[in-house]
Amino acid sequence: MREKSIAVFGVGCLGSISVLEFARAGVGNLRLMDHDFVDPATMGRWPLGLIEAGRYKVHAISEFLNSNYPSTLVTPVLHRIGGVRDCSNSDSDNSVILNFVSDVSLIFDATAEIGVQHYLSTLARDLEIPYIAVSGTYGAWGGKVLSIIPDKTVGCWMCYRYACNDGTIQEPPSDPQGNVQPQGCGEVTFTGAGFDMAEISLSGVRTAISTLCNQHRDGYPSTPWDVLTMAFRDDSGQLIVPKFTGYRLERHPECSLCHN
């Protein structure tokens, strides 16, 4: 792990837990990109507590990692993908991100934004870098981990979207009333407990470490799935014994990219 580097996009409730576990696992180099600040209104899903309120997340968590896990080199980048910029004196999104992912071992996407996932998964495919995305459903009733590994995963991100849409990959349960704008917060967010979201993060980290250990003798075992779905509740919101379902990502017949 000391020889590995991970580019992490998003250090919110999913990404923050993930980078802490990456450092604990001994990953040598972590690059963190986010634009948001720590908001007290959603503190229940962020690990470092009220003392960091108002600070940029990448700066707060980078300082924590540098102090507590000094063997991991952490590089924070304050940047919003697709954000408004001054075109006269700032680099394009593409140039910023290409520099950010240069020579990394893996891209870890914790943005949970479908447009960003599409962009980053395409970039990872073009650069032949393993891509892993984690996301939760409203209410944290469930979640998903997507893994696309060069020369291993058959399908692509678009195949994944088609498979989710036609039911080949079953979507985990979601709270139909899961949107909320908490007091004091300027953005609409989602309901859900931090400990449920952490379960999704840990599954993503497990998949990432497995990918980085591929072909290493005595390394962490290989994951026998490309997509992992998690259900913590049923469709009515009642707790169930957590259900984990793994899928292989095949070429979808409607994906023109793979079939061309």
Side-chain angles (χ1 to χ4, degrees), residues 80-92:
R80 181 173 190 167
I81 299 176
V84 177
R85 64 189 179 90
D86 182 353
C87 296
S88 64
N89 60 7
S90 60
D91 294 330
S92 68

Side-chain angles (χ1 to χ4, degrees), residues 135-144 171-175 190-191 197 200:
S135 58
T137 63
Y138 289 140
W141 289 10
K144 292 187 290 186
E171 291 285 352
S174 180
D175 183 357
F190 60 93
T191 59
M197 297 299 290
I200 303 166

